[in-house]
């Protein structure tokens, strides 16, 4: 009976550490081969100290190490790889799919990369080098070279036979790519179309030539959007007509998760984490948040400057101060709602720069409706506080104007940033609130001077 048949899942982390401490190689190999979820494995690996991790890696054979690296996130796999000597690391990476090997190498210590590549088998090293030269957040950095390609003159039955021979080495066989001798991509075949065609028909006669493809420098988020938009299982990466690799649906799922996590972090006013939250130290969380908070603090300081400038107005009509939090809070809320909606719509390709007029028109109409409702409520609230009809009118008009202004800023700013090649998610809810606060006060006091 193995170790994992004797303990409950919630006891495994303690048992793993105990197995490492006892140098129990059988127990550690049982841990790798168990059916624990991937996240559980990652959490337990991260719980080990560097010395325990080194002992753990030494007790696993090559097969177990290879299995472990395929199950762990790249960052944790890199921690394991860093405990191995160059020859062992090269052998393990050669057994991984090329794109998985690149992910691990890019997360490992950069000074080891040339040594490990030099120690790998030439064929495997060539595949890794072809991928590692592209930035990790591009289509080239996400693609794999493990795809099935056949020449256009091959008959359908010969293509099926080839697929049987090499299909196990490919990351996906849902699509078979038709490639010329010069590497040029001619078309693609679905597996269903291939097996249902006449055996003697050359594949070039029934391949699909209208392809959706991306270049290796295409942003990974754009590649993910295209794959989802066209309901594909894989998308080819092409440069100058030559097929370099493919991005599969499972890679795209990882991209979507990463990009969504990044956008949510920025919308909350923080730099995204490059590791699971529970593995992040308080120091790391502090570093990710403090710069944003300092920037927002400095930006928010001009709100006090505006109040100081209108100090005389406040002295003459003290009642105006009662409504400052209400007005700037409402403006920030309106802007945050629009930014959150727009950033998400832009992420899934639902809104582009060409739609700016439609977006502004839509948000202006919505802003007018919101402004009418909020102005009536604000006027009634001011009357309840018995500040007089003149101040109540100022509050009602000001809140309507601030809502319209926040609607315009929230509609235009994300699209403007996308034009400047800046991630629109940086227009986070705290940032848009800060921008609207000061300008909202200017609008409020300007209206107060006009009416009062």
């Amino acid at each position: 009976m193995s170790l994992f048949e004797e303990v409950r899942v919630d006891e495994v982390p303690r048992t793993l550490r105990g197995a490492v401490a006892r140098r129990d190689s059988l127990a550690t190999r049982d841990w790798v081969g168990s059916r624990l979820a991937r996240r559980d494995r990652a959490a337990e690996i991260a719980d080990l100290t560097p010395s325990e991790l080194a002992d753990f890696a030494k007790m696993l054979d090559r097969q177990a190490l290879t299995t472990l690296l395929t199950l762990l996130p790249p960052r944790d796999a890199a921690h394991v790889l860093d405990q191995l000597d160059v020859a062992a690391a090269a052998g393990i990476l050669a057994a991984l799919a090329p794109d998985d090997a690149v992910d691990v190498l890019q997360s490992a210590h950069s000074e080891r990369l040339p040594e490990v590549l030099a120690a790998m088998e030439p064929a495997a090293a060539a595949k890794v080098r072809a991928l590692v030269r592209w930035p990790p957040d591009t289509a080239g950095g996400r693609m794999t070279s493990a795809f099935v390609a056949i020449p256009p003159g091959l008959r359908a039955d010969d293509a099926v036979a080839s697929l049987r021979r090499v299909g196990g080495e490919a990351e996906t066989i849902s699509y078979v790519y038709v490639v010329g001798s010069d590497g040029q991509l001619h078309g693609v075949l679905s597996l269903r179309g291939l097996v249902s065609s006449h055996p003697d028909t050359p594949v070039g006669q029934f391949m699909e030539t209208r392809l959706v493809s991306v270049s290796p420098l295409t942003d990974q988020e754009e590649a993910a959007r295209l794959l989802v938009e066209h309901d594909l299982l894989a998308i080819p990466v092409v440069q100058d007509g030559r097929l370099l690799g493919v991005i599969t649906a499972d890679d795209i799922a990882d991209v979507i998760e990463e990009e969504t996590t990044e956008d949510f972090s920025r919308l909350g006013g923080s730099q995204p984490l490059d590791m699971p939250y529970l593995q992040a130290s308080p120091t790391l969380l502090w570093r990710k948040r403090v710069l944003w908070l300092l920037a927002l603090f400095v930006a928010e300081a001009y709100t006090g400057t505006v109040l100081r400038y209108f100090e005389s107005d406040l002295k003459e009509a003290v009642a105006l101060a009662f409504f400052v939090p209400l007005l700037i809070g409402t403006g920030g809320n309106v802007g945050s709602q629009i930014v959150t909606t727009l950033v998400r719509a832009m992420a899934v390709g639902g809104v582009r720069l060409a739609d700016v007029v439609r977006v502004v028109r839509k948000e202006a109409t919505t802003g007018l409706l919101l402004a009418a409702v909020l102005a009536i409520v604000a006027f009634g609230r001011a009357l309840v506080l018995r500040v007089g009809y003149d101040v109540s009118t100022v509050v009602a008009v000001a809140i309507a104007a601030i809502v319209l202004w926040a609607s315009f800023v929230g509609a235009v700013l994300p699209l403007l940033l996308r034009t400047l090649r800046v991630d629109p998610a940086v227009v986070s809810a705290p940032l848009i609130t800060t921008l609207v606060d000061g300008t909202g006060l200017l609008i409020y006091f300007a209206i107060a001077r006009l009416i009062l």
Side-chain angles (χ1 to χ4, degrees), residues 219-236:
D219 186 86
Q220 61 178 7
E221 191 172 3
E222 174 65 13
R225 185 190 65 78
L226 286 173
L227 185 139
V228 173
E229 183 178 291
H230 293 277
D231 198 22
L232 302 173
L233 298 175
I235 189 168

Side-chain angles (χ1 to χ4, degrees), residues 10-27:
D10 59 355
E11 294 174 344
V12 169
R14 185 169 59 252
T15 306
L16 173 61
R17 172 160 278 161
V20 172
R22 295 192 305 271
R23 304 292 195 274
D24 191 338
S25 300
L26 177 60

Side-chain angles (χ1 to χ4, degrees), residues 7-153:
V7 297
R8 302 194 316 271
V9 168
D10 59 355
E11 294 174 344
V12 169
R14 185 169 59 252
T15 306
L16 173 61
R17 172 160 278 161
V20 172
R22 295 192 305 271
R23 304 292 195 274
D24 191 338
S25 300
L26 177 60
T28 55
R29 284 195 293 272
D30 282 345
W31 183 89
V32 174
S34 69
R35 295 185 177 182
L36 284 178
R38 178 172 174 168
R39 290 183 180 177
D40 292 332
R41 297 176 195 275
E44 293 164 40
I45 283 288
D47 192 48
L48 297 177
T49 65
S51 60
E52 289 174 333
L53 184 59
D55 292 337
F56 172 58
K58 292 174 184 176
M59 285 187 287
L60 298 177
D61 56 27
R62 180 168 176 171
Q63 180 180 357
L65 274 171
T66 303
T67 301
L68 180 63
L69 264 63
T70 60
L71 293 170
L72 292 177
R75 184 184 182 91
D76 296 314
H79 287 166
V80 175
L81 192 74
D82 286 336
Q83 310 306 318
L84 307 177
D85 57 53
V86 172
I92 296 298
L93 288 174
L96 297 177
D99 56 330
D100 292 335
V102 168
D103 290 341
V104 175
L105 278 173
Q106 289 176 335
S107 299
H109 293 153
S110 57
E111 63 271 11
R112 300 196 70 198
L113 180 57
E115 297 179 356
V116 173
L117 285 175
M120 289 177 65
E121 297 175 359
K127 292 179 181 178
V128 172
R129 284 193 179 95
L131 300 180
V132 78
R133 65 193 180 101
W134 303 109
D137 58 350
T138 63
R142 284 288 181 177
M143 69 182 178
T144 178
S145 55
F147 57 88
V148 179
I150 58 176

Side-chain angles (χ1 to χ4, degrees), residues 436-448:
V436 173
D437 281 357
T439 52
L441 285 175
L442 289 172
I443 293 171
Y444 180 37
F445 288 112
I447 292 173

Side-chain angles (χ1 to χ4, degrees), residues 8-9 26 56 155 161 198 206 257 314 334 381 450:
R8 302 194 316 271
V9 168
L26 177 60
F56 172 58
R155 298 188 316 169
H198 192 279
F206 60 91
E257 181 180 358
L314 287 173
V334 170
R381 172 60 177 164
L450 286 174

Side-chain angles (χ1 to χ4, degrees), residues 3 7 63 87 91 122 134 185 197 202 264 290 297 314 356 388:
L3 175 67
V7 297
Q63 180 180 357
W134 303 109
L185 177 61
S197 61
F264 267 100
V290 67
F297 179 84
L314 287 173
V356 61

Side-chain angles (χ1 to χ4, degrees), residues 203-439:
V203 296
Q205 294 185 14
F206 60 91
M207 66 183 180
E208 176 59 61
T209 57
R210 293 175 300 175
L211 300 174
V212 177
S213 63
V214 294
S215 75
L217 291 177
T218 300
D219 186 86
Q220 61 178 7
E221 191 172 3
E222 174 65 13
R225 185 190 65 78
L226 286 173
L227 185 139
V228 173
E229 183 178 291
H230 293 277
D231 198 22
L232 302 173
L233 298 175
I235 189 168
V237 181
V238 179
Q239 185 180 40
D240 298 327
R242 296 179 65 251
L243 179 60
L244 302 182
V246 299
I247 306 176
T248 57
D250 59 334
D251 295 322
I252 291 302
D254 293 336
V255 170
I256 293 174
E257 181 180 358
E258 291 174 10
E259 294 290 346
T260 302
T261 301
E262 184 176 312
D263 286 348
F264 267 100
S265 297
R266 285 178 172 159
L267 284 171
S270 175
Q271 286 293 326
L273 293 171
D274 54 1
M275 63 174 61
Y277 171 79
L278 292 178
Q279 296 183 32
S281 66
T283 304
L284 177 61
L285 295 175
W286 171 80
R287 290 205 311 267
K288 294 292 185 180
R289 296 173 183 174
V290 67
L291 291 179
W292 269 97
L293 288 175
L294 288 174
L296 292 171
F297 179 84
V298 172
E300 191 68 46
Y302 83 99
T303 301
T305 303
V306 173
L307 287 173
R308 182 67 179 270
Y309 180 79
F310 289 102
E311 184 178 4
S312 58
D313 299 80
L314 287 173
K315 288 180 179 179
E316 294 179 10
V318 178
L320 291 175
F322 299 162
F323 303 96
V324 168
L326 172 67
L327 292 168
I328 64 176
T330 300
N333 291 337
V334 170
S336 299
Q337 287 180 331
I338 297 171
V339 165
T340 303
T341 304
L342 267 185
V343 168
R344 182 56 186 161
M346 294 168 70
V348 299
V351 174
R352 297 180 176 85
L353 180 61
D355 302 316
V356 61
V357 175
R358 294 177 59 192
V359 171
V360 171
R361 186 186 301 121
K362 185 185 296 291
E363 291 300 340
T365 303
T366 305
L368 282 171
L369 296 174
L370 291 172
V373 173
L374 292 173
I376 294 172
V377 173
F379 186 81
R381 172 60 177 164
L383 289 179
V384 170
L385 293 178
R386 299 179 181 178
V387 295
Y389 282 98
D390 50 354
V391 173
S392 299
T393 302
V394 168
V395 172
V397 174
I399 204 165
I402 289 172
V403 167
L404 290 173
W405 168 243
S407 299
F408 176 77
V409 173
V412 172
L413 203 53
L415 291 167
L416 178 62
L417 289 178
R418 174 60 63 86
T419 304
L420 300 174
R421 298 187 180 279
V422 177
D423 188 346
V426 300
V427 192
S428 60
L431 181 57
I432 199 71
T433 299
T434 302
L435 290 174
V436 173
D437 281 357
T439 52

